[in-house]
Structures are given as structure tokens and as C-alpha cells.
Amino acid sequence: MEAKRSSRPYVMAFCGVNGVGKSTNLAKICFWLIENNFSVLIAACDTFRAGAVEQLRTHTRHLNALHPPQRHGGRTMVNLYEKGYGKDAAGIALEAIKHASDTGIDVVLIDTAGRMQDNEPLMRALAKLIKVNDPDLVLFVGEALVGNEAVDQLTKFNQALADYSSNENPHDTKNHSAPQIKQ
């Protein structure tokens, strides 16, 4: 509601390891949002995995079938912002947020590529996406079946985001405003 009062979209980024259901959970949250009359722009920022954009396109089509524009005063409730594969995810997210702001969309959901928590180049790319776009909420999607490994994954994701997003001291997690993942 604060974002709406500020005439800007509320932005959520979804992150996690490969194959845990980030896109599916994003679609579930999107369903809840449109059920509560929020318009949504899904930013297709998994520019690596084959089929990632198509998966989001399918979710978007199904969500709009459940909530057709005629039920919402002619407004399409879910839109997909995509630029294809092999592109800079941080740049796509930035463009999507601007598009949402320009067109009065309430919420932007950023779908990111899955990555292992110890893959430094991919964690740096995720930190860049978060730092450049400053989402209101960063959600870590984990797999329940891995047990305590999920805690290790979350801890390492959180630490990597802190390490790679600081300009001053990249390893000082106490004295900078690195984003913290909501558990």
C-alpha cells in the first residue's frame, strides 16, 4: 500500500537454487495478488534456462484466463515482460519496473535463474540485480525435502548478497544496507 501511495509498483524478486519451484511459487503469489485486485507484471529475468520464458508465458495465460479483463473493468491483470534469452537480467528487471511504473501496474514479480549458492559468478549477477533494482522484498524459494541443507543454502545466499552488493567493504555484512532475504 505504501508503494501504491508513492505511485510506484511494489517489487518482489524470487531467488533460489535450480529446480525448487521459483516460477511456480511466483505464479501462486501472482494468483493471490490478482484475487485481491492488484495488477501484476512478471519480469522474465531467467534468461538462461531453456523454457523459462515459455513457462512464465503459460502461467500468465492461465492466470488471465482465471481473471479475464472483463471481470476487472477491462484491465488485464497479469502481463509478462520478456526480452528473450542471453540478456542481462538486471537490465531486464530495471526496464520492467519502469514499464510497470509508467503503465500503473501495482506489483512487479521478478523471476530469476536458479543458481547454486557457491557459484560466485551467478551469485554476483543476482547481487547486481538486487542492488540495481532495490526490490521491496527478496524471497528465497527452497526445497523442503533437503532438510537442514535449506538453511545452509539460505545462509549462503544471504551472505553472498551481502558480500557482493557492498561498495565499501565487500565482506562487512554489519555496516552496509545489503538486502536481507525474508525467510
Side-chain angles (χ1 to χ4, degrees):
M1 298 316 255
E2 182 182 321
K4 202 168 198 169
R5 280 191 296 275
S6 301
S7 299
R8 66 172 184 84
Y10 186 84
V11 179
M12 284 189 251
F14 291 74
C15 64
V17 299
N18 310 69
V20 296
K22 288 176 297 303
S23 301
T24 301
N25 278 284
L26 178 147
K28 291 176 181 180
I29 288 174
C30 185
F31 176 76
W32 184 89
L33 288 166
I34 60 177
E35 283 279 311
N36 287 280
N37 209 33
F38 291 99
S39 58
V40 178
L41 180 65
I42 298 173
C45 295
D46 180 350
T47 62
F48 179 73
R49 180 176 59 92
V53 176
E54 291 77 10
Q55 180 182 12
L56 292 175
R57 200 176 291 136
T58 299
H59 285 312
T60 301
R61 187 173 54 252
H62 288 189
L63 289 164
N64 280 322
L66 292 170
H67 282 272
Q70 54 270 30
R71 282 186 48 198
H72 297 277
R75 182 170 68 155
T76 300
M77 295 305 288
V78 184
N79 292 285
L80 179 63
Y81 192 90
E82 60 168 299
K83 291 293 180 177
Y85 295 100
K87 308 283 193 283
D88 176 49
I92 293 171
L94 190 65
E95 291 174 17
I97 294 166
K98 181 175 178 356
H99 175 74
S101 184
D102 292 347
T103 57
I105 293 174
D106 300 316
V107 180
V108 176
L109 303 178
I110 301 171
D111 187 44
T112 66
R115 61 203 74 223
M116 294 307 294
Q117 65 273 16
D118 55 358
N119 184 321
E120 184 178 335
L122 291 179
M123 291 306 297
R124 283 187 184 279
L126 180 62
K128 174 187 172 189
L129 183 146
I130 291 170
K131 185 173 184 172
V132 165
N133 293 288
D134 193 23
D136 296 287
L137 182 64
V138 179
L139 291 174
F140 175 83
V141 180
E143 174 61 58
L145 296 176
V146 299
N148 287 339
E149 173 66 15
V151 175
D152 182 57
Q153 289 171 351
L154 175 61
T155 302
K156 287 182 177 173
F157 259 77
N158 214 33
Q159 188 62 52
L161 291 178
D163 287 349
Y164 303 140
S165 64
S166 173
N167 288 333
E168 300 80 37
N169 182 352
H171 299 288
D172 180 5
T173 60
K174 295 181 183 98
N175 297 320
H176 63 82
S177 60
Q180 294 294 305
I181 297 173
K182 303 293 184 214
Q183 299 179 31

